[in-house]
């Protein structure tokens, strides 16, 4: 369900009712006459819908994390806020950029429309920007021929399933974050699909190597062996970008999970 489209339609309906009543109908009613119910509701909802539409379309949009692909950075059930303007101002519904501000950087946690089904919003970490050579071989990440620095730390306990994953601190440019991988998971990519620009990727028993095309981004989940991402379905086109995730504001399962993250 396209909530942005529904909100836009409601805005048009309520705005039209408010404008027609203000410009024409109100002048024809007796001064002591009560507003018709459809005018009362339509006109009163218009400013509320307008404020929500502007905030959600141009400033900040809330999302809920549905899966564990970004563990340990984001947990299932986290409610997060996404900055809608940091990567440029886009037209609501059409998602077409009209003002360019910044581009996604390596290490950003980005929300985007899933390339295989744009009605779905996905969240992953930006690993490669246009022109980068990305290699993920034997669970080691290399960008433009340079191994990405990692430091092994204490294993991560998945409390809901009672098993451990190996945990690392990974440094992408000036940012750092934690990643997981499972020792018993194979390094090769199982079942990559046919995606646009697939000729820019090569697969082998050790993993995948990709050249990121212009206007595209390579993304991965922090829970590396439990994330379907660019290794499987390809690159994220610039026009699919929604915004940059930056804040956790609620998790009903853990009320202490409030604050910014990397």
């Amino acid at each position: 369900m396209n909530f942005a489209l529904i909100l836009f339609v409601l805005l048009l309906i309520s705005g039209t009712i408010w404008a027609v009543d203000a410009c024409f109908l109100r002048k024809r009613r007796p001064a002591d006459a009560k507003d018709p119910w459809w005018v009362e509701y339509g006109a009163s909802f218009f400013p509320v819908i307008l404020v929500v539409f502007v905030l959600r379309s141009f400033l900040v949009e809330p999302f809920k994390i549905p899966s564990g692909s970004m563990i340990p950075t984001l947990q299932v059930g986290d409610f997060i806020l996404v900055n809608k303007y940091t990567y440029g101002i886009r037209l609501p519904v059409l998602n077409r950029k009209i003002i360019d501000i910044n581009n996604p950087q390596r290490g950003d946690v980005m929300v985007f429309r899933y390339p295989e089904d744009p009605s779905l919003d996905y969240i992953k970490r930006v690993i490669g920007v246009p022109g980068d050579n990305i290699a993920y071989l034997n669970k080691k990440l290399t960008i433009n021929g340079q191994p990405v620095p990692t430091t092994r730390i204490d294993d991560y306990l998945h409390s809901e399933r009672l098993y451990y994953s190996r945990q690392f601190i990974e440094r992408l440019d000036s940012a750092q974050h934690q990643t997981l991988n499972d020792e018993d998971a194979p390094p090769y990519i199982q079942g990559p699909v046919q995606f646009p620009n697939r000729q820019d990727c090569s697969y082998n028993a050790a993993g995948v190597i990709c050249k990121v095309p212009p206007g595209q981004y390579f993304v991965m989940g922090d829970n590396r062996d439990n994330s379907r991402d660019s290794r499987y379905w390809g690159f994220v086109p610039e026009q699919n970008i929604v915004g940059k995730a930056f804040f956790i504001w609620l998790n009903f399962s853990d009320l202490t999970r409030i604050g910014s993250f990397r």
Side-chain angles (χ1 to χ4, degrees):
M1 182 169 58
N2 192 329
F3 183 74
L5 179 59
I6 294 173
L7 198 62
F8 180 66
V9 171
L10 291 175
L11 179 66
L12 287 179
I13 294 173
S14 61
T16 300
I17 293 173
W18 175 83
V20 170
D21 180 63
C23 296
F24 303 104
L25 301 182
R26 189 178 303 170
K27 299 176 182 178
R28 300 179 181 180
R29 286 197 299 270
D32 57 349
K34 185 178 180 181
D35 292 343
W37 68 267
W38 55 273
V39 170
E40 182 178 354
Y41 282 98
S44 61
F45 280 127
F46 171 63
V48 177
I49 296 174
L50 177 61
V51 170
V52 172
F53 182 78
V54 170
L55 287 175
R56 189 182 185 278
S57 300
F58 300 108
L59 298 177
V60 175
E61 184 174 355
F63 283 88
K64 182 181 178 183
I65 303 301
S67 73
S69 70
M70 285 296 293
I71 293 173
T73 305
L74 296 170
Q75 302 287 333
V76 176
D78 280 347
F79 289 86
I80 64 170
L81 296 178
V82 175
N83 185 321
K84 295 294 292 287
Y85 61 85
T86 189
Y87 297 144
I89 305 300
R90 297 172 184 270
L91 290 175
V93 182
L94 298 177
N95 204 41
R96 183 175 299 168
K97 185 186 289 188
I98 55 175
I99 300 177
D100 197 13
I101 299 178
N102 298 306
N103 294 315
Q105 303 296 310
R106 300 186 198 96
D108 288 357
V109 178
M110 186 172 73
V111 173
F112 55 92
R113 297 181 179 182
Y114 180 37
E116 290 192 320
D117 183 358
S119 67
L120 301 176
D121 290 319
Y122 268 34
I123 182 167
K124 306 290 180 185
R125 190 177 298 278
V126 177
I127 302 298
V129 299
D132 280 348
N133 285 290
I134 305 297
Y136 191 70
L137 302 173
N138 294 314
K139 304 187 181 183
K140 303 292 184 182
L141 179 61
T142 300
I143 301 177
N144 297 324
Q146 299 296 318
V148 172
T150 58
T151 302
R152 179 78 181 268
I153 58 176
D154 291 342
D155 288 352
Y156 179 86
L157 173 63
H158 298 267
S159 56
E160 76 287 354
R161 296 171 61 186
L162 297 179
Y163 79 97
Y164 286 90
S165 291
R166 295 187 298 181
Q167 186 171 203
F168 301 84
I169 294 177
E170 183 177 86
R171 295 171 179 82
L172 283 176
D173 296 339
S174 60
Q176 67 178 35
H177 53 272
Q178 292 162 252
T179 65
L180 305 179
N181 67 51
D182 296 337
E183 192 170 7
D184 58 348
Y188 61 87
I189 309 304
Q190 303 181 56
V193 302
Q194 291 294 329
F195 52 83
N197 299 300
R198 195 181 190 280
Q199 70 277 4
D200 292 321
C201 294
S202 61
Y203 293 85
N204 56 42
V208 61
I209 301 172
C210 288
K211 170 79 171 181
V212 185
Q216 311 273 321
Y217 294 88
F218 189 94
V219 299
M220 294 172 63
D222 290 346
N223 191 359
R224 295 283 162 81
D225 290 319
N226 295 278
S227 171
R228 287 191 61 84
D229 44 44
S230 287
R231 295 170 292 175
Y232 296 86
W233 42 254
F235 307 102
V236 177
E238 194 278 335
Q239 62 266 26
N240 283 44
I241 294 173
V242 173
K244 179 181 179 180
F246 70 97
F247 193 83
I248 302 168
W249 60 276
L250 181 65
N251 187 314
F252 287 114
S253 299
D254 184 355
L255 298 180
T256 66
R257 288 189 59 76
I258 298 177
S260 58
F261 59 88
R262 295 181 177 178

